[in-house]
Amino acid sequence: MLGNAGSVLAAQGIKEMDKELLVWVLVIGGVVAAAAVMYIVDCVHKRKGRDSAAKKRIEEIVAQAVPEGERVTAAFAEWLTVDNDYKAGYRTTRYWQYAIGFNDNRIYIIPVTIYANETIAPKECMCVERSQLGLVNGRQNGKWMELYTKERKKICTLRVEAYYTKGAGNQPVDIAQPEAAAEFKKLIRLWLQAVNDTNGVKATGYHNNASAFDLKAQTGDPENKGVAASAQSRHRL
């Protein structure tokens, strides 16, 4: 009798283990499936970005801003700042989006606004000459750089990614620009050396994440030659 009871209990234990194992298999399978779907969707957006209307529009905006005959690399660039207001319980994220055209000597920076229907509207172009800069902050193998005047006033921060996919990180459009991103990295390395050596300064390699400073410099403060945010979002903490 005891032997039979033990066998029954053992069988029940195995069934419970089987149920628990099945649950874990389903959970892991669900996670893997979700990751696979996200990967496939991301790949689809990257493929669309190679010849997207948004990419063509950025190139068109740059072509209209750059003097005829000057050769530049066109790219979509962006930056963001995050402000946490713990007293009010809100987090505000501000996005700066640009069409840029650059070569070894200058960058044409055109702030843009991207609307829900993916219409891209440009604002006034700002040309930043390498010879006018007093400091360039960034990293040798980085994707971003901060530009400062001779008086150490921040102009703006620019980051260029190889791929922007719609929906990822609140990106509103699909743009694939690996070649332009590689050229921008070369520009960062060149300007880090050329500008900073000329002015006897060194880059920290860390972007200025102090909210008050970034907002004063990168919003429309005429003294700092800043530009207003392209968009912003507000969420509860």
Side-chain angles (χ1 to χ4, degrees):
M1 292 292 290
L2 288 175
N4 290 338
S7 298
V8 171
L9 289 173
Q12 289 177 344
I14 291 172
K15 287 182 179 179
E16 290 299 322
M17 288 178 63
D18 287 344
K19 288 180 181 178
E20 185 176 349
L21 180 62
L22 179 60
V23 170
W24 277 107
V25 168
L26 291 174
V27 169
I28 294 172
V31 170
V32 171
V37 170
M38 290 176 64
Y39 175 76
I40 292 171
V41 170
D42 188 57
C43 287
V44 170
H45 281 291
K46 285 181 178 179
R47 192 176 298 112
K48 286 182 178 178
R50 293 173 188 167
D51 195 33
S52 67
K55 183 178 180 181
K56 291 178 181 177
R57 177 58 177 152
I58 292 296
E59 292 171 347
E60 180 184 80
I61 290 170
V62 171
Q64 291 171 349
V66 174
E68 186 176 354
E70 183 169 5
R71 298 187 64 178
V72 297
T73 298
F76 175 68
E78 42 79 42
W79 192 248
L80 65 83
T81 60
V82 179
D83 290 319
N84 294 319
D85 187 342
Y86 294 104
K87 184 178 290 187
Y90 283 98
R91 170 178 294 159
T92 302
T93 305
R94 294 175 176 85
Y95 304 88
W96 284 266
Q97 295 155 343
Y98 308 94
I100 65 171
F102 59 90
N103 55 36
D104 289 353
N105 298 311
R106 61 188 62 87
I107 303 180
Y108 294 90
I109 304 172
I110 309 104
V112 298
T113 299
I114 305 176
Y115 296 98
N117 63 355
E118 297 190 25
T119 297
I120 303 178
K123 300 177 184 177
E124 186 177 352
C125 175
M126 173 172 55
C127 180
V128 177
E129 297 278 350
R130 187 178 80 185
S131 59
Q132 297 172 337
L133 296 174
L135 169 67
V136 173
N137 188 27
R139 298 181 181 181
Q140 287 291 329
N141 294 312
K143 302 176 182 178
W144 62 270
M145 65 176 171
E146 290 177 337
L147 306 176
Y148 292 82
T149 66
K150 296 285 187 181
E151 296 74 32
R152 302 295 189 274
K153 291 178 180 178
K154 182 178 171 185
I155 299 171
C156 67
T157 310
L158 301 170
R159 177 173 59 204
V160 175
E161 297 282 353
Y163 297 96
Y164 291 96
T165 55
K166 192 174 181 180
N170 295 310
Q171 291 301 328
V173 291
D174 293 322
I175 293 178
Q177 51 181 13
E179 296 84 3
E183 289 300 315
F184 191 72
K185 282 188 174 183
K186 291 180 183 178
L187 185 75
I188 293 172
R189 290 193 291 269
L190 172 63
W191 282 25
L192 278 172
Q193 181 177 355
V195 173
N196 295 347
D197 286 357
T198 298
N199 291 280
V201 295
K202 290 185 179 180
T204 65
Y206 296 93
H207 61 77
N208 188 332
N209 206 28
S211 299
F213 185 92
D214 264 357
L215 290 178
K216 182 180 179 182
Q218 199 130 342
T219 55
D221 181 346
E223 183 181 2
N224 286 325
K225 299 182 180 178
V227 291
S230 302
Q232 72 177 48
S233 61
R234 194 181 188 214
H235 303 285
R236 285 196 172 276
L237 290 169

